[in-house]
Amino acid sequence: MAKEFDYIAHFEDKLDGIRKEGRYRRFANLERIAGRFPKAIYRPDNGAEREVTIWCSNDYLGMGQHPVVRKAAHEALDNSGAGAGGTRNISGTTRYHVQLEDSLADLHQKEAGLVFSSGYVANEGALGTLGKLLPNCVIFSDALNHASMIHGMRDSGAEKKIFRHNDLEHLEELLRTVDIDRPKIIAFESVYSMDGDIAPIKEICDLADQYNALTYLDEVHGVGIYGPRGGGVAEERGLMHRIDIIEGTFGKAYGCMGGFITGPMALVDAVRSFASSFIFTTSLPPAVLAAAHAAVEHLKISDIERSRMRRNVKLFKDRLEVADLPYLRGESHIVPLVVGEPNCCREISELLMMEHNIYVQPINYPTVPKGTERLRLTATAAHSEQDINTMADILQHLWETHHALIRAVA
């Protein structure tokens, strides 16, 4: 008699495999402290809770703690309750959705905006729908595009051509292979979060014009931070009008939750009408939407938070430069410190937490290629100068004392 398949053993074997490779992910039990970000309470499985400093947060400007944002969330909760009550189509569209989508259209100077439950879902839904609706569409995708964009392109069923990261010559070489009249989308990001570099947006727009392609720009790590009103890198460079669809999130610089797209009314309405991940998802609750709206509106007029972050990022990069630490020197606010081996990366992360009360999550494969494992560091607007100098001193000490352990990839 054939032996029955052991389901539990099969999955345990799979988990053992990623443990041996140093890729098994452990979640840190953290409780953010209102008004004291980047401080948080860490509650380990064994041991006493203690206060730590977070150095890998996407809440780049500390807006998740901002009094204006918290006040808006409280008021919406008190006025409308906890949930939205349904999908957008079935009783789940509220005034909070409408005012936020109007605010986003104004932010990017587009005809329309559309809110999703997350940035991931926005990319998956928008790219999946646009690629599916355009006849015989081909999508040109940067090699380092986010998993959510890849998911959407795959779901669309459209032909996909991948160009080398930020390589304009390779992009044009691929564009030349497709008939000028065939529908095309060039999908790329403004800030690439694992390397900290920025796309050549103007030059990509030039190619899009030349080869009759739509442009789809992921600004999740750009909105709120770049541009005079927080419109993103495209706004900072005076290029928003040349981008057809801009995608963003409230989960990073705006300190909240959710995602969105902005663009021409017909394109946005098509996504609203055909994207399954939008149609069949319970809509975001009033408190989240009100908080996001408050953050977007505040950052349209306030540069205080952006200025603090720019100052802190410069100070941190200057300190790493003096210490000759192997960070990737991109243009953006993101500082990837390359370790180059997964177990070493995890060990450095554990040393920071256990000995210095600093929380940084190691970034390993498949998020980044093998051999480029790293600590993705973010000096936010909320970090103090003391926080930055302390972190730089500790990293320099760890580098000097554990140099034999770490295989740096400059």
Side-chain angles (χ1 to χ4, degrees):
M1 183 176 178
K3 184 179 179 181
E4 291 183 352
F5 188 82
D6 190 333
Y7 294 96
I8 301 302
H10 174 76
F11 290 115
E12 286 178 343
D13 182 62
K14 292 294 183 184
L15 291 169
D16 285 342
I18 60 172
R19 287 190 186 99
K20 289 173 183 174
E21 294 176 18
R23 296 195 292 115
Y24 184 75
R25 302 181 185 204
R26 294 175 174 83
F27 293 157
N29 183 348
L30 298 168
E31 181 181 352
R32 281 155 56 101
I33 307 168
R36 293 195 56 212
F37 180 72
K39 306 301 180 183
I41 301 300
Y42 171 54
R43 292 189 169 86
D45 292 336
N46 298 304
E49 65 181 43
R50 63 185 191 276
E51 186 174 290
V52 299
T53 304
I54 300 174
W55 265 91
C56 57
S57 176
N58 288 333
D59 190 357
Y60 300 127
L61 302 178
M63 291 303 295
Q65 308 286 308
H66 198 285
V68 169
V69 175
R70 289 162 54 197
K71 180 175 182 287
H74 279 293
E75 289 178 351
L77 181 64
D78 290 341
N79 290 337
S80 298
T87 64
R88 289 291 300 273
N89 189 49
I90 305 176
S91 82
T93 293
T94 68
R95 73 178 181 90
Y96 301 103
H97 289 92
V98 175
Q99 71 180 10
L100 180 54
E101 287 170 347
D102 287 346
S103 175
L104 294 167
D106 169 72
L107 174 69
H108 287 148
Q109 296 298 288
K110 302 295 184 187
E111 292 179 346
L114 188 66
V115 169
F116 292 78
S117 55
S118 73
Y120 189 107
V121 174
N123 269 333
E124 179 271 322
L127 280 169
T129 300
L130 295 170
K132 190 176 298 181
L133 293 179
L134 289 168
N136 198 27
C137 179
V138 57
I139 303 177
F140 298 83
S141 173
D142 187 285
L144 295 190
N145 276 341
H146 191 266
S148 58
M149 301 175 78
I150 296 168
H151 186 170
M153 289 180 262
R154 182 173 61 244
D155 283 357
S156 75
E159 181 182 355
K160 182 174 71 171
K161 293 181 181 288
I162 301 172
F163 60 94
R164 290 185 292 270
H165 178 52
N166 282 349
D167 189 327
L168 296 166
E169 289 185 5
H170 190 217
L171 173 57
E172 184 167 20
E173 179 185 319
L174 293 175
L175 284 164
R176 285 198 200 101
T177 67
V178 178
D179 189 282
I180 191 70
D181 294 326
R182 185 176 175 188
K184 310 171 195 69
I185 300 172
I186 302 175
F188 61 109
E189 301 182 31
S190 59
V191 178
Y192 288 87
S193 65
M194 289 303 145
D195 286 10
D197 56 349
I198 293 178
I201 299 175
K202 177 185 179 300
E203 292 77 6
I204 290 176
C205 290
D206 291 342
L207 289 174
D209 291 344
Q210 184 178 348
Y211 291 94
N212 190 31
L214 289 174
T215 47
Y216 182 101
L217 178 62
D218 177 315
E219 281 266 30
V220 296
H221 292 276
V223 288
I225 300 174
Y226 299 92
R229 298 202 311 156
V233 179
E235 182 192 31
E236 183 175 80
R237 298 184 176 184
L239 297 167
M240 282 197 307
H241 65 289
R242 300 190 64 187
I243 302 295
D244 294 298
I245 305 103
I246 297 176
E247 184 267 349
T249 184
F250 308 116
K252 295 181 171 58
Y254 292 124
C256 299
M257 177 187 176
F260 64 89
I261 60 168
T262 63
M265 178 65 74
L267 271 69
V268 172
D269 201 21
V271 173
R272 182 190 70 87
S273 300
F274 289 94
S276 295
S277 57
F278 174 83
I279 294 169
F280 299 107
T281 298
T282 298
S283 62
L284 289 172
V288 170
L289 295 164
H293 179 255
V296 172
E297 288 297 307
H298 176 82
L299 290 174
K300 284 181 183 178
I301 59 175
S302 174
D303 196 51
I304 295 171
E305 295 80 10
R306 286 188 283 271
S307 295
R308 285 177 184 160
M309 192 201 70
R310 287 193 294 268
R311 177 199 66 198
N312 287 347
V313 170
K314 183 180 186 305
L315 173 60
F316 188 47
K317 286 184 175 182
D318 287 347
R319 286 295 315 272
L320 297 184
E321 197 72 38
V322 170
D324 196 28
L325 293 178
Y327 76 97
L328 298 181
R329 292 160 174 79
E331 301 174 69
S332 79
H333 57 288
I334 295 168
V335 185
L337 184 66
V338 180
V339 176
E341 200 281 327
N343 290 298
C344 297
C345 197
R346 187 190 69 251
E347 185 165 340
I348 294 299
S349 174
E350 289 174 354
L351 283 170
L352 285 168
M353 183 66 110
M354 301 310 295
E355 296 185 7
H356 302 285
N357 293 324
I358 290 173
Y359 171 61
V360 181
Q361 183 68 19
I363 306 294
N364 294 331
Y365 176 84
T367 306
V368 295
K370 291 180 179 179
T372 69
E373 291 80 5
R374 65 200 63 179
L375 302 177
R376 178 187 171 277
L377 305 171
T378 52
T380 72
H383 282 87
S384 68
E385 186 172 337
Q386 181 179 342
D387 289 331
I388 294 165
N389 285 323
T390 297
M391 182 61 161
D393 288 342
I394 291 168
L395 289 173
Q396 183 172 3
H397 172 73
L398 288 174
W399 175 250
E400 291 169 352
T401 56
H402 292 77
H403 189 82
L405 172 70
I406 304 171
R407 298 186 334 192
V409 181

